[in-house]
Amino acid sequence: MSFPTHRPRRLRQSAAMRRLVAEVRIHPADLILPVFVREGATEPIPLQSMPGVVQHTQDSLRSAAAEAAELGLGGIMLFGVPETRDATGSASLDPAGVLNAGIRAVKQEVGDSLVVMSDLCLDEFTDHGHCGVLTADGVVDNDATLEIYGRMGVAQAEAGADMVGPSGMMDGQVVVIRQALDDAGHQDTAILAYAAKYSSAFYGPFREAVDSQLTGDRKTYQMDPANRREAMLEVSLDLDEGADLVMVKPAMSYLDILRDVAEVSDVPVSAYQISGEYAMIEAAAANGWINRDQAIIESVLSIRRAGADSVLTYWASELARWIKEGRL
């Protein structure tokens, strides 16, 4: 009678054994919490398409940031939702505007105990919902947008951002922002480049979160989901332009891209588990179709396993609490 020479099941026999040989782990410091702050809000506003996520007031934003710092998260990424918008997104440059005020409030609250990050894009601030200014023909003007991005970067750095996250996928955005930051004396402000950001159906719930005014789509500047090699070009350009970190977005439908990027990047790699990915798991769990907690853990592990050094996820604080309680 023959017997197996190798018995991999030996290393799966108990929770302690599985924990010992686990190849990938989730740590609070690997997690970044995306948050939304709404101008004029007097109480947190729940998002219907993202159960458990809210548009914050300035006060509840402070509380969320303080909790994130206490839980040991790696960072917090701020998105602003202004009351008024215009064609050029001018509210994005206002030092007292909702996003810059939010950055300042969070920085005052947490100091250096949490990396304070800010979304650097015009889509939340324009009345047409695009990530840049438009020509007379309604086309996004790449180079005119870059000039505003540079000014936004400086405004966010002056508000206290440790790291800015240009997410508009304009050609040349990293080098323009880097130059603007350096010229303004903000050489130490880092750039998290949304290097491979795809035009995805999974952004749907995010539109509610930022009260998007978009009509049409962003396919002329966000990447085509069919393309893999193109992602490596985008990443290499951002690295050449001085990105301090690079990001793949979305995460779960683009794990192959994430793996490719992780294998070549000489800077840390992030991935964004976006609103639609969050909403699908929450909806399936609410219907009793999947185990919510296990699905959350498995989904984030998959992103880390594919090569992400850090993960932006709306479950960041919840996962950190589970770790603190010894549940993970």
Side-chain angles (χ1 to χ4, degrees):
M1 184 176 180
S2 62
F3 293 93
T5 302
H6 300 287
R7 293 182 182 270
R9 288 184 57 193
R10 292 189 187 111
L11 301 184
R12 304 174 193 150
Q13 295 306 301
S14 68
M17 184 70 77
R18 293 189 294 273
R19 184 170 61 247
L20 175 67
V21 301
E23 299 174 27
V24 176
R25 305 180 195 280
I26 301 172
H27 188 278
D30 304 326
L31 305 175
I32 299 164
L33 178 67
V35 292
F36 307 100
V37 56
R38 184 176 187 115
E39 188 173 17
T42 57
E43 59 183 21
I45 302 170
L47 300 176
Q48 290 187 345
S49 57
M50 299 177 67
V53 179
V54 302
Q55 292 174 332
H56 284 285
T57 68
Q58 292 287 344
D59 286 342
S60 68
L61 175 66
R62 281 180 174 268
S63 298
E67 179 188 42
E70 196 261 333
L71 289 168
L73 295 188
I76 186 170
M77 174 68 79
L78 276 66
F79 295 84
V81 186
E83 285 187 309
T84 59
R85 299 172 168 90
D86 59 29
T88 62
S90 60
S92 66
L93 303 175
D94 183 355
V98 62
L99 180 54
N100 294 325
I103 295 168
R104 191 172 297 108
V106 168
K107 192 62 178 176
Q108 291 172 352
E109 185 71 32
V110 302
D112 292 329
S113 62
L114 186 67
V115 178
V116 179
M117 308 174 178
S118 52
D119 180 62
L120 199 166
C121 193
L122 286 175
D123 61 321
E124 297 105 292
F125 297 95
T126 55
D127 55 12
H128 47 74
H130 277 288
C131 297
V133 295
L134 304 181
T135 66
D137 297 328
V139 176
V140 174
D141 188 326
N142 190 95
D143 295 1
T145 299
L146 293 181
E147 189 274 334
I148 299 175
Y149 280 8
R151 294 163 62 197
M152 284 181 70
V154 172
Q156 292 177 5
E158 290 179 348
D162 302 305
M163 186 177 295
V164 296
S167 60
M169 289 298 287
M170 297 296 119
D171 294 340
Q173 61 185 15
V174 172
V175 69
V176 168
I177 294 166
R178 180 74 273 155
Q179 189 64 58
L181 289 169
D182 291 354
D183 288 348
H186 297 292
Q187 293 89 347
D188 293 334
T189 302
I191 297 177
L192 166 57
Y194 287 57
K197 181 179 179 181
Y198 285 82
S199 180
S200 172
F202 294 107
Y203 296 136
F206 185 87
R207 307 285 190 250
E208 179 194 356
V210 297
D211 189 22
S212 175
Q213 306 300 299
L214 180 67
T215 57
D217 57 52
R218 299 183 173 127
K219 293 182 179 181
T220 65
Y221 46 101
Q222 293 178 355
M223 289 181 57
D224 187 334
N227 292 354
R228 184 173 181 176
R229 288 192 301 270
E230 185 185 13
M232 304 312 294
L233 171 61
E234 289 281 7
V235 169
S236 67
L237 290 171
D238 283 354
L239 291 173
D240 288 345
E241 292 177 13
D244 298 288
L245 292 84
V246 291
M247 182 196 289
V248 174
K249 181 180 181 181
M252 291 172 61
S253 294
Y254 296 87
L255 295 178
D256 58 329
I257 308 301
L258 177 56
R259 180 72 259 162
D260 289 346
V261 173
E263 288 178 349
V264 302
S265 177
D266 54 4
V267 303
V269 177
S270 289
Y272 198 144
Q273 187 178 43
I274 64 169
S275 59
E277 297 167 314
Y278 175 95
M280 287 192 301
I281 290 176
E282 289 288 354
N287 279 282
W289 298 334
I290 59 174
N291 181 302
R292 177 183 181 272
D293 294 2
Q294 289 303 312
I296 291 169
I297 294 167
E298 185 177 339
S299 68
V300 176
L301 276 173
S302 76
I303 298 166
R304 290 277 289 117
R305 190 182 64 244
D309 300 295
S310 57
V311 181
L312 286 87
T313 175
Y314 299 98
W315 289 302
S317 292
E318 188 170 9
L319 281 165
R321 282 195 294 272
W322 294 352
I323 295 167
K324 192 171 185 179
E325 294 166 0
R327 296 173 52 195
L328 177 59

